[in-house]
């Protein structure tokens, strides 16, 4: 068992089985042994990879989206360009490279990064040295804002409930001997679950989505949320742990494996509506990237390279947008302040 596993086992011996949200937040964010606290998990040598790490085209197209939204906001002379969970800073660096082509927009942008991981903050510092860092959204500046979040919400904790017959149970981490094991405890919570199966409660994610929407509605602007998940609230156990690009059991390597679950975009969108934001739409990543010009941009880049590099470039774009790869499971949601024109390509078809 990992060091963090021993610590969690000790907590369970003392206090009884642990809800999934507490387990997830310890695994990912424990101040000494948390997964994101101790390492840079991204890339071939890590545990998983993300769109901006797969191809620069991803961030470039989002850069075009940002420039377009800035213009529709009336080209403010100062605005906060905010990223939630910026990983290695690759996406922000790619966005900024595109913004540099729209001089007034680049000059107006103040970069703010919300990041808890010291290891990843160091990586971000190398790529985006001019940024200001925040631990939470609470300290973001009072400026018109454009917010981007790629694979951020999936890392925020969830709880899991299950209805069996007329009873509701909560899924928890308990002990079997010295081993961590998933189990069920009767739940006093009233969970409105229709049908039998696992219901994933997104309260923590919805609270952060509300803060995001509040920033945008109070100050003007828009947010773009990209993640894997479903458009409508649905039953299903999507909790997963990744270790060196393979799935492992969620109780296997606490602190050494990444733990995430699919994002319920309906729940996130509903939370944004509470703040009077406009949920401008939800698209699949494939439709979004294709509408933003994935093919044309890939072709332009491919012209300047040959051989393997060229093949890899084309394959990377396909991976981002193809239905059977990241194109369909990944969704893109746009949220804006009232009165802002619907940002392209949402509602364009
Ligand atoms: N957006 C990046 C990284 C995705 S990994 C990319 O696409 O490559 C998830 C990111 O969210 C990491 O940067 C991680 O450190 C950060 N993160 C996870 N939980 C967080 C929290 N509670 N608050 C702020 N950042 C968090």
């Amino acid at each position: 068992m990992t060091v963090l596993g021993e610590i969690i086992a000790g907590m369970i011996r003392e206090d009884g089985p642990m809800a999934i949200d507490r387990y997830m937040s310890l695994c990912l964010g424990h101040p000494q042994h948390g997964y994101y606290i101790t390492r840079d998990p991204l890339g071939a040598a890590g545990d998983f990879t993300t769109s901006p790490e797969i191809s620069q085209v991803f961030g470039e197209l989002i850069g075009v989206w940002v420039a377009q939204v800035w213009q529709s906001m009336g080209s403010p002379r100062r605005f906060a360009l905010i990223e939630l969970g910026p990983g290695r800073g690759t996406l922000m660096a790619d966005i900024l490279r595109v913004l540099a082509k729209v001089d007034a927009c680049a000059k107006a942008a103040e970069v703010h990064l919300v990041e808890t991981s010291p290891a990843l903050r160091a990586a971000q510092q190398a790529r985006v040295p001019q940024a200001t860092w925040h631990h939470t959204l609470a300290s973001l500046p009072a400026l018109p804002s454009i917010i981007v979040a790629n694979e951020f919400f999936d890392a925020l904790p969830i709880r899991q409930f299950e209805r069996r017959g007329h009873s509701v149970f909560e899924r928890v981490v308990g002990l079997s001997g010295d081993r961590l094991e998933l189990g069920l405890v009767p739940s006093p919570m009233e969970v409105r679950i229709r049908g039998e199966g696992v219901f994933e409660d997104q309260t923590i994610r919805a609270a952060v989505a509300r803060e995001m929407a509040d920033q945008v509605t109070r100050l003007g602007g828009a947010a773009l949320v990209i993640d894997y998940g479903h458009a409508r609230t649905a039953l299903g156990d999507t909790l997963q742990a990744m270790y060196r690009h393979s799935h492992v059991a969620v109780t296997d390597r606490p602190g050494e494996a990444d733990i995430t679950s699919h994002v319920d975009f309906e729940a996130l969108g509903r939370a944004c509506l509470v703040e009077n934001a406009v949920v401008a739409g939800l698209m699949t990543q494939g439709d979004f990237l294709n509408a933003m010009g994935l093919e044309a941009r890939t072709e332009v880049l491919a012209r300047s390279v040959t051989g393997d590099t060229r093949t890899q470039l084309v394959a990377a774009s396909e991976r981002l947008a193809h239905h059977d790869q990241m194109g369909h499971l990944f969704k893109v949601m746009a949220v804006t302040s009232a009165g802002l024109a619907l940002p392209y390509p949402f509602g364009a078809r």
Side-chain angles (χ1 to χ4, degrees):
M1 182 121 73
T2 62
V3 180
L4 182 58
E6 297 293 352
I7 293 172
I8 290 172
M11 291 173 168
I12 294 170
R13 268 181 219 111
E14 207 135 291
D15 303 328
M18 183 181 280
I20 299 290
D21 58 347
R22 174 117 175 90
Y23 179 72
M24 248 179 117
S25 76
L26 285 168
C27 286
L28 298 179
H30 183 280
Q32 281 93 46
H33 308 290
Y35 179 74
Y36 281 116
I37 306 304
T38 56
R39 72 198 69 216
D40 170 355
L42 289 149
D47 299 300
F48 63 95
T49 193
T50 57
S51 301
E53 302 298 332
I54 291 170
S55 172
Q56 69 183 76
V57 178
F58 182 79
E60 289 171 352
L61 297 177
I62 291 177
V64 173
W65 191 86
V66 167
Q68 159 211 238
V69 169
W70 172 76
Q71 272 173 352
S72 80
M73 286 159 68
S75 310
R77 285 178 45 188
R78 265 179 86 204
F79 77 102
L81 176 55
I82 299 164
E83 189 175 351
L84 312 179
R88 287 182 171 163
T90 308
L91 173 56
M92 186 52 83
D94 291 340
I95 291 174
L96 290 172
R97 210 174 44 250
V98 170
L99 293 196
K101 304 206 160 106
V102 189
D103 195 41
C105 181
K107 286 209 175 86
E110 237 182 53
V111 180
H112 291 267
L113 305 178
V114 179
E115 177 60 72
T116 42
S117 159
L120 287 172
R121 269 190 188 204
Q124 293 153 20
Q125 193 123 38
R127 289 178 182 82
V128 196
Q130 72 273 40
T132 303
W133 278 265
H134 304 261
H135 275 279
T136 67
L137 284 77
S139 57
L140 288 172
L143 284 175
S145 296
I146 302 179
I147 305 178
V148 173
N150 184 58
E151 290 208 39
F152 167 70
F153 282 94
D154 66 76
L156 301 181
I158 55 157
R159 288 172 75 175
Q160 290 188 318
F161 296 92
E162 201 170 331
R163 203 183 82 178
R164 292 195 175 174
H166 292 295
S167 310
V168 173
F169 296 87
E170 178 156 12
R171 282 183 103 200
V172 290
V173 179
L175 283 173
S176 159
D178 284 335
R179 278 189 34 246
L180 297 178
E181 195 178 69
L182 286 176
L184 292 175
V185 296
S187 171
M189 290 268 288
E190 221 190 276
V191 183
R192 266 167 280 150
I193 308 175
R194 271 180 244 113
E196 305 221 342
V198 176
F199 172 77
E200 298 188 326
D201 171 82
Q202 317 252 331
T203 302
I204 293 176
R205 293 175 181 177
V208 176
R210 272 187 72 169
E211 283 185 81
M212 180 188 79
D214 172 60
Q215 176 79 14
V216 161
T217 52
R218 214 163 16 92
L219 303 157
L224 194 70
V225 176
I226 307 148
D227 224 311
Y228 43 95
H230 32 278
R232 295 268 161 259
T233 302
L235 294 179
D237 173 14
T238 70
L239 194 67
Q240 60 175 23
M242 293 289 281
Y243 179 74
R244 301 202 174 144
H245 299 270
S246 297
H247 287 276
V248 295
V250 292
T251 49
D252 247 16
R253 292 179 173 271
E256 288 181 356
D258 186 33
I259 302 190
T260 62
S261 84
H262 288 198
V263 169
D264 176 350
F265 278 96
E266 185 177 349
L268 240 53
R270 224 183 298 120
C272 294
L273 293 178
V274 176
E275 297 297 334
N276 293 318
V278 177
V279 178
L282 187 73
M283 298 175 81
T284 63
Q285 175 163 302
D287 286 347
F288 175 82
L289 293 177
N290 286 328
M292 290 303 297
L294 178 70
E295 200 178 324
R297 179 64 190 146
T298 307
E299 260 172 39
V300 168
L301 281 177
R303 260 183 241 141
S304 58
V305 291
T306 51
D308 281 357
T309 318
R310 191 192 160 89
T311 315
Q312 277 161 18
L313 190 76
V314 173
S317 285
E318 257 181 49
R319 183 167 170 198
L320 295 179
H322 196 279
H323 188 280
D324 296 333
Q325 299 190 59
M326 300 172 84
H328 186 72
L329 177 60
F330 281 70
K331 312 283 189 296
V332 187
M333 181 175 81
V335 176
T336 73
S337 52
L340 199 73
L342 195 66
Y344 180 84
F346 296 91
R349 285 164 313 146

